[in-house]
Amino acid sequence: MKYSSIAGTGAYLPERVMANKDFEAMVDTSDEWIRERTGIKRRHIAAEDQTTSDMALEAALKALQMAGVSKEDIDLIIVATTTPDKVFPSTACIVQRRLGVSGFAAFDVHAACAGFIYALDVANRFIKTGGASCVLVIGAETYSRIINWKDRSTCVLFGDGAGAIVLKAADKPGVMSTHIHADGRHEDSLHVPAGISSGYDLVQREEAFIHMKGNEVFRAAVGVLDAIARETLSINGVQPGDIDWLIPHQANLRIISAAAKKLDLPMDRVVVTVDQHANTSSASIPLALDVAVRDGRVQRGDLLLFEAFGAGFTWGSALVRY
Ligand code: ACO
């Protein structure tokens, strides 16, 4: 039985930083409201000519470097994104070309804020079944392009960025288990209504932006994240107290705190980056992981619990021995 293990991490954040105060001139909001209701202080915003693959590539190169893996060793690229550079080819194919390698499979996974967990699940299955042995798993998003900058209820919540891991075949786990779920009945609670087959009409620009019933999403997220954490721990015979680091999707500090409280985990065992990055959707977990690896909080051998919730609804978790 083969296992998979995280060999290296990397991240990229665009240079431009937007503070909460910067929104005060654009919409009826305040730094105080944003901090209190979300925990967000600032976010990074991509330059006008910067795309999701630009950020994905930078994060991937850093992860390869940390893993000590050459790009020729990669035999699969999976990019989790809902903001691809183009309708096609996939962002994964663009990253593959820009890395200067070819031949092996590369594809995107689309599961909104749970995208990285979905991609990790797929990559882990490829490795366990012998279909790949060295996978670049990337979460990268440019949400600034689908934000309605006039809608105070959503524009303050998101940021841009990318995170990546190199997942390699190993004799021991590594990835102990992954769990992914969806409930498509909630399509209208969180969506970007415009699409290709439904007619991407630029005249109806409102339709090309994020629409969210924030309260509904908040309640659903808190409920299912607790359920999935318990599912993950119980399958592995692990107690909440055994977790060294909870690394959740970074949407709202109140959702993160509620998840930690239900597990009886103190906040000093939770990696929080939402204050600095806001919600970067698929990128948020690998970004947070990379921050905590590089600042020395996450050490080899630590037990990590990843969990995420997003549009679909989709949600998922992974228990990982780093
Ligand atoms: N500044 C000031 N006031 C605001 C702002 C703002 N930026 N946004 C909303 N308000 C107002 C509302 O209009 C409302 O005013 P009213 O009472 O006069 O009607 C009031 O603040 C309260 O609004 P709520 O929506 O009830 O505020 P809430 O405390 O629920 O916070 C939030 C809103 C932050 C969006 C929260 O619901 C949330 O985080 N939801 C979950 C987001 C999430 O997890 N998304 C999942 C991933 S995203 C993805 O998959 C793409």
Side-chain angles (χ1 to χ4, degrees):
M1 181 71 161
K2 279 197 189 119
Y3 298 103
S4 75
S5 172
I6 297 176
T9 68
Y12 176 82
L13 289 159
E15 248 172 62
R16 183 178 160 214
V17 174
M18 225 179 137
N20 291 347
K21 279 252 169 242
D22 299 333
F23 287 88
E24 291 179 1
M26 299 162 62
V27 288
D28 182 13
T29 191
S30 65
D31 175 41
E32 192 190 2
W33 190 95
I34 302 169
R35 279 178 196 244
E36 269 177 18
R37 306 310 293 166
T38 71
I40 296 166
K41 295 177 187 162
R42 58 187 68 85
R43 72 286 290 140
H44 292 250
I45 300 292
E48 262 177 43
D49 60 351
Q50 206 167 25
T51 63
T52 295
S53 75
D54 291 329
M55 296 187 285
L57 181 68
E58 294 295 330
L61 288 170
K62 288 188 185 134
L64 288 168
Q65 190 183 35
M66 186 192 284
V69 160
S70 93
K71 58 191 184 181
E72 284 76 22
D73 295 331
I74 306 165
D75 52 12
L76 176 63
I77 298 176
I78 307 178
V79 176
T81 188
T82 42
T83 47
D85 289 22
K86 299 183 175 186
V87 174
F88 57 78
S90 67
T91 305
C93 284
I94 296 172
V95 169
Q96 189 198 49
R97 171 185 60 76
R98 295 181 65 180
L99 280 170
V101 286
S102 61
F104 57 84
F107 57 86
D108 290 359
V109 162
H110 185 312
C113 295
F116 178 75
I117 303 280
Y118 268 63
L120 179 63
D121 178 279
V122 174
N124 182 46
R125 287 174 202 272
F126 261 90
I127 288 179
K128 283 175 89 168
T129 55
S133 61
C134 185
V135 188
L136 253 180
V137 188
I138 305 169
E141 301 280 11
T142 320
Y143 265 47
S144 56
R145 307 280 193 261
I146 53 167
I147 287 172
N148 180 350
W149 293 94
K150 292 181 188 147
D151 175 9
R152 69 173 182 174
S153 69
T154 52
C155 70
V156 300
L157 303 176
F158 297 94
D160 300 331
I165 61 166
V166 174
L167 197 69
K168 280 183 75 177
D171 297 331
K172 293 188 295 188
V175 177
M176 294 169 70
S177 68
T178 54
H179 309 264
I180 55 175
H181 298 270
D183 185 348
R185 291 175 299 173
H186 302 280
E187 180 180 347
D188 292 342
S189 302
L190 178 51
H191 63 143
V192 176
I196 307 307
S197 64
S198 53
Y200 192 89
D201 184 350
L202 288 179
V203 178
Q204 296 177 321
R205 282 301 292 177
E206 288 279 308
E207 303 300 297
F209 299 130
I210 298 165
H211 293 238
M212 178 167 73
K213 294 175 186 157
N215 271 320
E216 233 176 88
V217 178
F218 190 100
R219 275 196 306 275
V222 171
V224 302
L225 287 174
D226 187 50
I228 202 166
R230 290 187 189 283
E231 173 190 341
T232 309
L233 297 182
S234 118
I235 282 173
N236 289 283
V238 164
Q239 300 302 314
D242 299 330
I243 300 166
D244 292 301
W245 292 103
L246 173 65
I247 307 186
H249 169 51
Q250 310 280 324
N252 186 318
L253 186 59
R254 290 187 293 139
I255 297 177
I256 295 172
S257 307
K261 194 169 174 202
K262 286 188 174 199
L263 289 173
D264 220 8
L265 273 182
M267 284 306 283
D268 60 8
R269 300 235 310 267
V270 184
V271 178
V272 175
T273 52
V274 69
D275 55 333
Q276 303 297 319
H277 304 164
N279 182 348
T280 57
S281 191
S282 299
S284 88
I285 290 178
L287 255 167
L289 172 65
D290 185 64
V291 166
V293 165
R294 286 177 194 266
D295 70 17
R297 273 178 291 172
V298 168
Q299 297 281 328
R300 283 285 168 202
D302 280 358
L303 191 61
L304 315 178
L305 178 64
F306 302 154
E307 57 175 28
F309 180 88
F313 292 148
T314 52
W315 62 101
S317 64
L319 191 69
V320 175
R321 181 71 67 186
Y322 181 67

